[in-house]
């Protein structure tokens, strides 16, 4: 064995993704929380589900928020992978009250995270500026299978790397 057992959790309802997980032998949990007003209950359900889990790893803002609350309840460390910087999250929130609320919640998530994985220097610097401790923010570049992107030859692969390089 590999020494660890994953549990895949989504905020979504049960669906094809969960069937795929189970077909691959990975247990999964659907929190069935499509609306943000359901997130407190989702966090409580998640906290119960992670009692025997060593670490929680969440992607994107909504899952990171729910996981942070659940991690606090269950006293479990939460690792966040940020695919975007805080500025993008705030822009998506719109203006006024929602924007300020997102800013505060995003800061809470980043400050409480045991670690933050950033896919670029730009995202790393944004999350550090928002309050995540520099020593807890780790830049890990996202990988891509160049052959699946149609770059079987070395020159095309290098051109794609330059075009999409994380800065």
């Amino acid at each position: 064995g590999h020494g660890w057992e994953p549990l895949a959790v989504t905020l979504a309802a049960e669906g094809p993704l969960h069937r795929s997980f189970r077909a691959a032998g990975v247990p999964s949990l659907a929190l069935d929380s499509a609306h943000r007003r359901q997130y407190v209950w989702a966090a409580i359900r998640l906290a119960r589900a992670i009692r025997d889990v060593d670490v929680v790893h969440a992607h994107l803002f909504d899952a990171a928020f729910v996981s942070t609350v659940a991690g606090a309840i269950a006293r479990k460390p939460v690792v966040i992978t940020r695919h975007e910087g805080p500025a993008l999250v705030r822009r998506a929130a719109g203006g006024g009250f929602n924007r300020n609320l997102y800013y505060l919640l995003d800061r809470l998530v980043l400050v409480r995270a045991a670690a933050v994985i950033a896919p670029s220097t730009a995202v790393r610097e944004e999350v550090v500026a928002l309050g995540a401790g520099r020593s807890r923010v780790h830049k890990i570049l996202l990988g891509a299978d160049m052959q699946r992107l149609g770059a079987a030859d070395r020159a095309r692969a290098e051109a794609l790397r330059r075009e999409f390089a994380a800065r």
Side-chain angles (χ1 to χ4, degrees):
H2 43 64
W4 56 276
E5 296 180 27
L7 169 64
V9 180
T10 68
L11 292 171
E14 180 78 25
L17 183 60
H18 293 278
R19 289 189 290 280
S20 296
F21 284 135
R22 283 193 292 279
V26 176
S28 67
L29 171 65
L31 294 174
D32 198 12
S33 300
H35 303 287
R36 291 187 172 135
R37 65 181 172 270
Q38 298 171 308
Y39 283 3
V40 170
W41 298 116
I44 292 168
R45 287 185 63 210
L46 181 57
R48 288 185 194 128
I50 62 174
R51 279 182 284 204
D52 296 324
V53 168
D54 294 319
V55 65
V56 176
H57 183 190
H59 293 258
L60 305 176
F61 176 81
D62 295 79
F65 172 72
V66 171
S67 296
T68 297
V69 174
I73 293 168
R75 296 189 174 133
K76 300 294 179 175
V78 177
V79 175
I80 306 297
T81 294
R82 291 300 296 259
H83 297 271
E84 73 288 322
L88 183 60
V89 171
R90 288 193 304 277
R91 273 196 302 277
F97 177 76
N98 279 347
R99 182 182 177 116
N100 293 333
L101 180 61
Y102 268 83
Y103 177 81
L104 291 172
L105 295 176
D106 201 19
R107 182 171 164 77
L108 169 75
V109 165
L110 293 171
V111 168
R112 288 198 52 90
V116 179
I117 298 169
S120 68
T121 301
V123 171
R124 181 182 63 199
E125 294 308 314
E126 281 192 53
V127 299
V128 167
L130 195 57
R134 185 172 292 281
S135 65
R136 293 181 295 107
V137 181
H138 309 277
K139 181 174 97 173
I140 300 176
L141 301 177
L142 301 176
D145 182 342
M146 295 307 215
Q147 288 184 335
R148 289 184 75 190
L149 293 173
D153 66 89
R154 194 180 271 297
R156 177 71 179 130
E158 188 55 39
L160 283 169
R161 271 190 207 91
R162 279 193 306 277
E163 181 179 353
F164 296 107
R167 294 171 181 78

